[in-house]
Amino acid sequence: MTAELSGSTALVTGGTSGIGRATAITLAGLGAHVVLSGRDAGRGAEAVETIRAAGGKADFVAADLKDAASARELAARARELGGPIDVLVNNAGIFPTGPTADFAEADFDTVFTTNVKVPFFLVAELAPEMAARGRGAIVNVSTIVAKNGMAGMAVYGASKAAVELMTKAWAAEFGPSGVRVNAVSPGPTRTEGTAAFGDGLDELAAAGPAGRVGTPEEIAAAIAFLVAGDASFVHGVVLPVDGGRAAV
Ligand SMILES: NC(=O)c1ccc[n+]([C@@H]2O[C@H](COP(=O)([O-])OP(=O)(O)OC[C@H]3O[C@@H](n4cnc5c(N)ncnc54)[C@H](OP(=O)(O)O)[C@@H]3O)[C@@H](O)[C@H]2O)c1
């Protein structure tokens, strides 16, 4: 049984779509006041309305996460709306693919800024406060591509491999102060962001024991486990939530 999150505030980046939206809804369902962020105000309002209609507490912050300053600004806005942040889900991410020879320098920089730099500075802003209060939980969203080499995914995979290492380093840095830092590693999951992959997503998933793509709600359930009290002795893990894709 997953423990309650009543009385806590959770910041979910990329809460306007896919895995982040499902996570925001799941954490709100467990009683957290969820602050969700994204760039698309329409999708943000829809997610907030969905949570409120179910009796949950949620707010949206429009944030184009593009550097340390925007990460710090989001943290400040979330604090204004929800008070001290107890839970951070670093979910916002981008996953452009393509041959190495054709990959533009600007796209390389954007992937590493969105997927690595912004989570780093969000943690820099929020984890010390959690540590000062002696409690908190952070979940980073990685991918199976961080461990498995896949053609066309060198940049994306490398960015998430960095996220996995940061997860362990932060577990070492903040764990002794009561802040648990973990990650999930989703397999192919049907979201707005992966819609363009079409059948390719099913082909990627077919090789795994589950033999199918995942749903955002299945990833959200694993994130909820890691932030809630049931995972109180779990620090620094990267939990595969991939239908067994990484196991075979
Ligand atoms: N779906 C999969 O198969 C899969 C598998 C493994 C890992 N993942 C990881 O899971 C996470 C979510 O993936 P998803 O499939 O749910 O993606 P998605 O549907 O494309 O959603 C991405 C979210 O990130 C936000 N975002 C992207 N760039 C942003 C920026 N510069 N500033 C602020 N927000 C930004 C988007 O918000 P706005 O559009 O509103 O700005 C959106 O809410 C990503 O980190 C991804 O790498 C996904």
Side-chain angles (χ1 to χ4, degrees), residues 107-196:
D107 292 338
F108 183 103
D109 289 343
T110 305
V111 171
F112 269 78
T113 297
T114 310
N115 293 1
V116 183
K117 189 175 186 179
V118 163
F120 180 88
F121 283 101
L122 274 174
V123 168
E125 187 69 17
L126 293 173
E129 296 176 358
M130 295 179 188
R133 294 197 309 280
R135 68 191 175 91
I138 296 169
V139 177
N140 301 315
V141 180
S142 183
T143 168
I144 54 170
V145 181
K147 289 200 177 72
N148 299 352
M150 287 188 199
M153 296 205 182
V155 177
Y156 174 54
S159 74
K160 293 295 191 173
V163 167
E164 294 194 3
L165 192 282
M166 293 196 301
T167 299
K168 295 174 192 175
W170 287 330
E173 184 174 353
F174 299 110
S177 304
V179 182
R180 294 182 306 99
V181 187
N182 293 289
V184 292
S185 175
T189 306
R190 190 82 64 205
T191 66
E192 294 90 322
T194 55

Side-chain angles (χ1 to χ4, degrees), residues 50-62:
T50 299
I51 290 170
R52 289 182 182 166
K57 234 175 147 184
D59 289 291
F60 169 68
V61 175

